């Protein structure tokens, strides 16, 4: 069985290829940037210097274009301090992080978007508490509410990084103008608007909750947003920490109220079919029929701005824009649901702490924001550096002292619920399962 | 979609390195496997020829005492790797299945109790049973019928490669392809899914195939059959070709028709191959994970044991419950493996 008719020829080919690899491998020179450290543009980074040549690995779920922006955002820092940052993004972040930590191959820093997952690692003793510098920096730049999410058993593990605001309803200003609609500011107005759209032959809402592995999460956001509007923030906190049962009557009512939109054949699912099509419509495509005039409203987070085609203008008078998902009882204030990731460390080498501190700083928040498509709750973030109008709106909401902010509930819950049964049961619920039965199933899966 | 090659240069370079390294390593290995045995064979021939020329008597039994050592030499790496890669993890999984979610406390049989306590466990077990019954049976039948039909036909090689091609696609890739086949668009829009388009042509309303239980499980099973039928066909076709022609000729002289020829000669003749195919596909089906995860992620009552195991252990951080599911899966595979081993042993005795 001769694979190569002439073995010697094959040998030559293999040898040449091998040489080619080693030659190109030598091509990538290393630079520790030490020559630049004293230049004026590096003055801001002086307090992080002294770790030249050290390497810090960062692992997160951010990939593709956004990952490129992320790497650009700390380029200057890396050049001035000589710390080489080795970034890796993975679509399987949540599962793989556990595997890597168990395998003794933990990254130095991870951006964890779920406080629930963060506390799991903290309780297992895998995370290193943040250094005093990081803690001071975080306390200076972030509201206490935010720091609470990365504090486990009194120990602070890391500052927030990017954030997003989820309580938005996307719409087409053009369509609103043509139809003579105005942006609703109360829940009742929202329902009236939906009814008049439905009467006019337009399915008012489009919804998509398919998201591969994570199918169902957009539906959990709906429930959380509605619960925050029908109950007090304290009830919401009890619910996320299992201080009350998941299937409490107040939650059942909130889910049923969300159901008056989500499970209403007259309201959904513009451009995609009936209610059941919600479960198989990807969240990325969820709101796109707005551009075709096939639906009017799409409740989705600030980051949905990235999903619109490049040639559509996101602005108050453009093709698409978003308004605040109205409160049910405006006298109780404006609750805002949001999310974000936290910079936590699995190692406490000084260079790791330096990077962790820097990422919590105002300089970093501004340098990342200037690159576009980014929101942070960092108080030092200058709104002028945020380009996208929705991001601007988000930053203003986050920095507003009167905002009642609550973190995405499913991210706070243990993964078995927050990334498991809650998602799954919401998919079943959309497909027709009884509300109480779905919530009972989630309650029974809460880890003991 | 505009794609700027200059922008993607680092990624393209990485791709190039990958391809070059792959070619170099695989090429080198193939070369080694090709050249070394050939050289050894040539040396032995030369030695034998020299011995014959020198008039020495070649004793065939001379190397016997070293055979054991020789066998050990080949066995050792296998045993070592099986130990590290299979036995140790299996034992560890068993141990973990008696511990809690983060493996810090012993919980006895609680994880096993949990498993049979859940309302969806019936779905999972029924689905797994459906898969294990239907896939081996249908894939083998289709493979067998196809192998018989194309045997000694014109363009046999082409016909074979056509049905064998799906084998070359990963389960995830197959899942994505078939997801498009089952794609749904509302009646007023253009259908992009093949099945719905055909359905609409036949006068039906577009269906959300993947959300209608239990039909969706059957539609996922189709994907697995599509992949495995090629494997069954190739093995069975080879077995059919190995049936001695004089047997077939003798049967023909005795006046059998095609139907009798198939049941009395072909099927008994390829029985061992049939068993191997059914067993292999059964085990692959029990472990099934990728197709379900890619296409529905276990939603809409399509969950199977392996998907649930992965979710529990790796996504929900419930290592104990995940391990318990893995152990159950292992227990389910054991009878099939035992059957296969006994079968092989019986064949050797004959």
């Amino acid at each position: 069985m001769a694979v190569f008719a002439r073995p010697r020829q094959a040998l030559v080919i293999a040898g040449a290829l091998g040489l080619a690899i080693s030659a190109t491998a030598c091509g990538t020179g290393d630079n520790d940037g030490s020559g630049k450290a004293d230049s004026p543009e590096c003055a801001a980074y002086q307090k992080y210097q002294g770790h030249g040549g050290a390497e810090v690995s960062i692992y997160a779920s951010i990939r593709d274009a956004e990952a490129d922006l992320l790497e650009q955002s700390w380029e200057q820092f890396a050049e001035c301090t000589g710390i080489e940052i080795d970034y890796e993004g993975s679509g399987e972040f949540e599962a793989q992080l556990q595997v890597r930590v168990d395998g003794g191959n933990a990254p130095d820093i991870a951006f964890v978007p779920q406080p629930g997952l963060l506390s799991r690692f903290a309780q297992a003793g895998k995370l290193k508490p943040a250094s005093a510098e990081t803690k001071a920096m975080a306390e200076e730049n972030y509201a206490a509410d935010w720091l609470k999410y990365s504090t486990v058993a009194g120990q602070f593990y890391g500052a927030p990084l990017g954030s997003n605001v989820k309580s938005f309803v996307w719409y087409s200003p053009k369509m609103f103008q043509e139809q003579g609609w105005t942006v609703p500011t109360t829940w009742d107005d929202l329902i009236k608007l939906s009814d008049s759209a439905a009467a006019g032959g337009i399915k008012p809402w489009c919804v998509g909750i398919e998201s591969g592995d994570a199918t169902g999460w957009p539906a959990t956001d709906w429930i959380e947003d509605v619960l925050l509007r029908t109950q007090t923030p304290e009830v919401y906190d009890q619910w996320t920490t299992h201080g009350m049962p998941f299937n409490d009557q107040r939650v059942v009512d909130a889910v049923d109220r969300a159901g008056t939109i989500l499970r209403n054949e007259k309201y959904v699912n513009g451009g995609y079919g009936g209610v059941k099509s919600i479960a198989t419509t990807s969240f990325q495509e969820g709101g796109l029929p707005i551009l075709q005039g096939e639906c009017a409203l799409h409740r989705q987070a600030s980051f949905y701005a990235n999903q619109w085609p490049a040639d559509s203008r996101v602005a108050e008078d453009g093709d698409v824009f978003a308004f605040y998902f109205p409160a049910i009882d405006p006298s109780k204030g404006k609750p805002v649901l949001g999310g974000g990731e936290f910079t936590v460390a699995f190692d406490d080498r000084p260079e790791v702490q330096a990077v962790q501190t820097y990422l919590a700083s105002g300089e970093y928040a501004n340098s990342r924001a200037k690159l576009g498509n980014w929101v942070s709750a960092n108080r030092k973030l200058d709104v002028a550096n945020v380009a996208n109008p929705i991001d601007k709106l988000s930053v203003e909401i986050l920095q507003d002292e009167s905002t009642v902010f609550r973190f995405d509930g499913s991210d706070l819950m243990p993964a078995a619920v927050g990334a498991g049964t809650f998602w799954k049961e919401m998919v079943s619920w959309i497909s027709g399962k009884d509300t109480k039965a779905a919530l009972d199933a989630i309650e029974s899966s809460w880890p003991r | 979609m505009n794609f700027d090659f200059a922008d993607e240069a680092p990624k393209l370079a990485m791709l190039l390195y990958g391809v070059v390294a792959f070619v170099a390593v695989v090429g080198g290995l193939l070369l080694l496997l090709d050249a070394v045995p050939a050289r050894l064979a040539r040396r032995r021939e030369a030695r034998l020829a020299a011995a014959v020329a020198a008039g020495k008597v070649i004793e065939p039994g001379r190397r016997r005492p070293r055979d054991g050592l020789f066998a050990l030499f080949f066995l050792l790496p296998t045993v070592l790797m099986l130990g590290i890669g299979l036995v140790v993890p299996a034992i560890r999984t068993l141990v973990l299945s008696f511990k809690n979610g983060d493996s810090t406390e012993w919980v006895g049989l609680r994880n096993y109790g949990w498993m049979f306590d859940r309302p969806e466990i019936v779905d999972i077990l029924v689905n797994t049973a459906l898969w294990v019954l239907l896939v081996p049976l249908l894939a083998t039948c289709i493979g067998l019928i196809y192998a018989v039909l194309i045997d000694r036909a014109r363009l046999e090689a082409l016909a074979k490669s056509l049905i064998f091609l799906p084998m070359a696609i990963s389960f995830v890739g197959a899942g994505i392809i078939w997801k498009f086949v089952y794609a749904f668009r509302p009646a007023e829009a253009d259908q992009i899914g093949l099945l719905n388009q055909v359905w609409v042509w036949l006068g039906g309303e577009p269906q959300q195939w993947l959300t209608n239980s239990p039909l969706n499980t059957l539609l996922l099973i189709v994907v697995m059959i599509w992949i495995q039928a090629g494997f069954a066909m190739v093995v069975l076709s080879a077995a059919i070709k190995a049936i001695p022609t004089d047997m077939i000729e003798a049967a023909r002289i005795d006046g059998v028709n095609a139907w009798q020829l198939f049941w009395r000669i072909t099927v008994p003749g390829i029985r061992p191959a049939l068993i191997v195919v059914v067993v292999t596909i059964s085990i692959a089906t029990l472990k099934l994970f990728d197709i379900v995860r890619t296409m529905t992620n276990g939603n809409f009552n399509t969950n199977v044991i392996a998907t649930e195991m992965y979710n529990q252990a790796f996504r929900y951080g419930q290592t104990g419950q995940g391990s318990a599911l893995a152990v159950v899966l292992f227990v389910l595979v054991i009878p099939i493996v035992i059957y296969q081993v006994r079968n092989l042993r019986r064949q050797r005795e004959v």
Side-chain angles (χ1 to χ4, degrees), chain A residues 148-428:
Chain A
K148 198 176 69 191
Y149 299 120
S150 53
T151 304
V152 181
Q155 193 68 258
F156 178 69
Y157 288 96
L161 191 72
S163 320
N164 55 67
V165 172
K166 299 202 170 195
S167 304
F168 277 128
V169 178
W170 290 87
Y171 71 107
S172 159
K174 252 189 228 159
M175 181 197 268
F176 269 51
Q177 209 180 7
E178 281 162 18
Q179 304 278 352
W181 296 333
T182 48
V183 168
T185 50
T186 65
W187 179 272
D188 291 337
D189 287 349
L190 188 71
I191 298 298
K192 266 183 216 143
L193 175 66
S194 306
D195 283 334
S196 76
I202 298 177
K203 289 261 184 86
W205 294 87
C206 35
V207 191
I209 63 167
E210 195 275 342
S211 181
D213 241 17
T215 297
W217 71 260
T220 67
D221 286 5
W222 267 90
I223 306 303
E224 288 150 10
D225 240 344
V226 173
L227 187 67
L228 262 182
R229 279 158 180 72
T230 52
Q231 301 296 333
T232 59
E234 288 70 37
V235 171
Y236 180 86
D237 292 341
Q238 279 177 29
W239 177 63
T240 57
T241 52
H242 212 216
M244 69 186 212
F246 195 100
N247 52 356
D248 189 280
Q249 188 55 42
R250 289 168 287 190
V251 186
V252 175
D253 292 343
V255 176
D256 279 337
R257 188 187 275 264
T260 59
I261 293 177
L262 293 177
R263 300 213 291 185
N264 187 340
E265 287 287 353
K266 282 189 204 133
Y267 279 10
V268 288
N269 188 12
Y272 290 114
V275 167
K276 275 181 120 188
S277 69
I278 290 177
T280 48
T281 302
S282 78
F283 101 89
Q284 290 95 333
E285 291 177 0
L288 298 185
I290 288 181
L291 293 172
Q292 273 81 50
E294 284 170 348
C295 66
L297 305 161
H298 179 61
R299 198 219 71 99
Q300 192 50 273
S302 54
F303 54 70
Y304 199 76
N306 299 328
Q307 300 300 336
W308 303 105
D311 56 354
S312 47
R313 208 163 70 86
V314 179
E316 208 156 351
D317 54 351
D319 302 307
V320 277
F321 201 60
F323 59 80
Y324 167 75
F325 189 47
I328 289 171
D329 180 3
S331 69
K332 282 184 185 162
K334 284 187 167 188
V336 168
L337 185 74
E341 63 265 358
F342 296 85
T343 314
V344 294
F346 290 91
D347 201 307
D348 52 5
R349 300 197 309 276
E351 63 267 24
V352 177
Q353 292 180 337
V355 173
Q356 209 186 0
T357 310
Y358 170 65
L359 291 177
S361 69
E363 288 87 40
Y364 175 74
N366 283 300
S367 90
R368 173 65 189 87
K370 274 179 202 161
L371 299 170
N373 280 337
W374 200 66
V375 174
S376 172
N378 195 313
R379 285 187 193 130
K380 297 266 175 67
L381 177 59
D382 185 354
V383 181
N385 285 328
V386 181
N388 181 327
I390 282 295
D391 289 352
K392 258 196 177 63
L393 191 57
S394 307
V395 172
E396 279 160 13
I397 290 176
L398 288 173
Q399 290 184 345
D400 185 350
E401 300 282 335
S402 66
T403 298
V404 183
F405 179 86
R406 281 299 179 273
F407 206 90
D408 184 323
S410 57
D411 289 337
L412 294 170
M413 296 172 185
V417 175
T421 48
F422 195 2
W423 290 351
K424 276 207 157 23
E425 290 300 324
M426 279 299 112
V427 175
S428 304

Side-chain angles (χ1 to χ4, degrees), chain B residues 266-324:
Chain B
T266 313
V267 172
I270 60 169
R271 199 175 156 267
L274 267 177
I275 291 173
V276 168
V277 167
V278 171
V279 166
T280 314
I281 298 181
S282 299
I283 294 177
T285 310
L286 262 178
K287 296 187 299 182
L288 168 90
F289 165 74
D290 327 44
I291 293 176
V292 170
R293 181 160 177 270
T294 317
M295 295 183 70
T296 64
N297 196 28
N299 283 318
F300 321 114
N301 299 338
T302 55
N303 223 353
V304 290
I305 297 179
T307 334
E308 188 60 15
M309 175 196 83
Y310 173 82
N311 282 341
Q312 290 292 341
F314 297 108
R315 296 203 23 236
Y316 309 162
Q318 299 293 329
T319 316
Q321 295 170 358
S323 304

Side-chain angles (χ1 to χ4, degrees), chain B residues 202-343:
Chain B
L202 291 176
E205 275 278 298
Q207 297 289 315
Q208 285 199 268
W209 302 110
L210 288 179
T211 62
N212 299 339
S213 171
L215 180 68
N216 49 8
T217 296
L218 297 178
L219 291 172
L220 297 192
I221 286 175
V222 167
V223 181
M224 185 77 161
I225 293 173
W226 179 70
I227 297 176
Q228 296 289 0
F231 164 74
M233 182 272 299
V234 168
V235 176
L236 297 178
S237 172
I240 289 172
K241 293 204 185 307
I243 298 174
T245 33
D246 36 356
M247 245 165 92
I248 297 168
E249 273 161 20
R252 284 245 167 79
I253 290 166
D254 287 346
V256 297
N257 59 29
W259 188 248
Q260 288 168 323
L261 185 74
F262 176 73
W263 283 110
R264 303 255 170 93
I265 305 291
T266 313
V267 172
I270 60 169
R271 199 175 156 267
L274 267 177
I275 291 173
V276 168
V277 167
V278 171
V279 166
T280 314
I281 298 181
S282 299
I283 294 177
T285 310
L286 262 178
K287 296 187 299 182
L288 168 90
F289 165 74
D290 327 44
I291 293 176
V292 170
R293 181 160 177 270
T294 317
M295 295 183 70
T296 64
N297 196 28
N299 283 318
F300 321 114
N301 299 338
T302 55
N303 223 353
V304 290
I305 297 179
T307 334
E308 188 60 15
M309 175 196 83
Y310 173 82
N311 282 341
Q312 290 292 341
F314 297 108
R315 296 203 23 236
Y316 309 162
Q318 299 293 329
T319 316
Q321 295 170 358
S323 304
L325 284 164
V327 171
V328 168
L329 194 59
F330 188 61
V331 169
L332 289 179
V333 175
I334 286 177
I336 305 179
V337 175
I338 290 177
Y339 174 74
Q340 166 76 330
V341 168
R342 284 186 47 169
N343 208 51

Side-chain angles (χ1 to χ4, degrees), chain B residues 80-298:
Chain B
L80 209 69
M81 285 188 187
L82 269 181
I84 297 171
L86 197 74
V87 179
V88 172
I91 293 171
R92 187 164 173 267
T93 305
L94 190 67
V95 171
L96 287 178
S97 75
F98 298 114
K99 290 185 163 190
N100 66 352
D102 47 12
S103 314
T104 48
E105 274 172 55
W106 296 96
V107 296
L109 288 170
R110 197 181 79 189
N111 292 326
Y112 294 89
W114 159 85
M115 197 185 303
F116 293 101
D117 213 25
R118 301 168 68 215
E120 63 268 39
I121 190 68
V122 180
D123 280 339
I124 294 180
L125 290 180
V126 168
N127 287 338
T128 308
L130 265 180
W131 279 89
V132 177
L133 281 177
L134 290 180
V135 174
L137 198 74
L138 290 177
T140 312
C141 281
I142 292 170
L144 179 59
I145 293 169
Y146 198 82
V148 171
L149 287 183
I150 60 161
D151 193 38
R152 300 200 183 94
R154 279 201 325 138
L155 298 177
E156 185 184 340
L158 182 74
K160 264 187 181 171
S161 46
L162 274 183
I163 200 168
F164 190 67
L165 271 181
M167 269 297 277
I169 299 172
S170 73
F171 284 17
V172 174
I176 291 170
I177 293 171
W178 281 85
K179 222 173 153 177
F180 281 115
V181 173
Y182 298 146
F184 163 84
R185 285 287 177 274
E188 57 270 21
D190 288 335
Q191 294 302 320
I192 61 164
L194 181 66
L195 187 59
N196 263 323
Q197 183 61 69
V198 172
W199 188 248
V200 168
W201 277 333
L202 291 176
E205 275 278 298
Q207 297 289 315
Q208 285 199 268
W209 302 110
L210 288 179
T211 62
N212 299 339
S213 171
L215 180 68
N216 49 8
T217 296
L218 297 178
L219 291 172
L220 297 192
I221 286 175
V222 167
V223 181
M224 185 77 161
I225 293 173
W226 179 70
I227 297 176
Q228 296 289 0
F231 164 74
M233 182 272 299
V234 168
V235 176
L236 297 178
S237 172
I240 289 172
K241 293 204 185 307
I243 298 174
T245 33
D246 36 356
M247 245 165 92
I248 297 168
E249 273 161 20
R252 284 245 167 79
I253 290 166
D254 287 346
V256 297
N257 59 29
W259 188 248
Q260 288 168 323
L261 185 74
F262 176 73
W263 283 110
R264 303 255 170 93
I265 305 291
T266 313
V267 172
I270 60 169
R271 199 175 156 267
L274 267 177
I275 291 173
V276 168
V277 167
V278 171
V279 166
T280 314
I281 298 181
S282 299
I283 294 177
T285 310
L286 262 178
K287 296 187 299 182
L288 168 90
F289 165 74
D290 327 44
I291 293 176
V292 170
R293 181 160 177 270
T294 317
M295 295 183 70
T296 64
N297 196 28

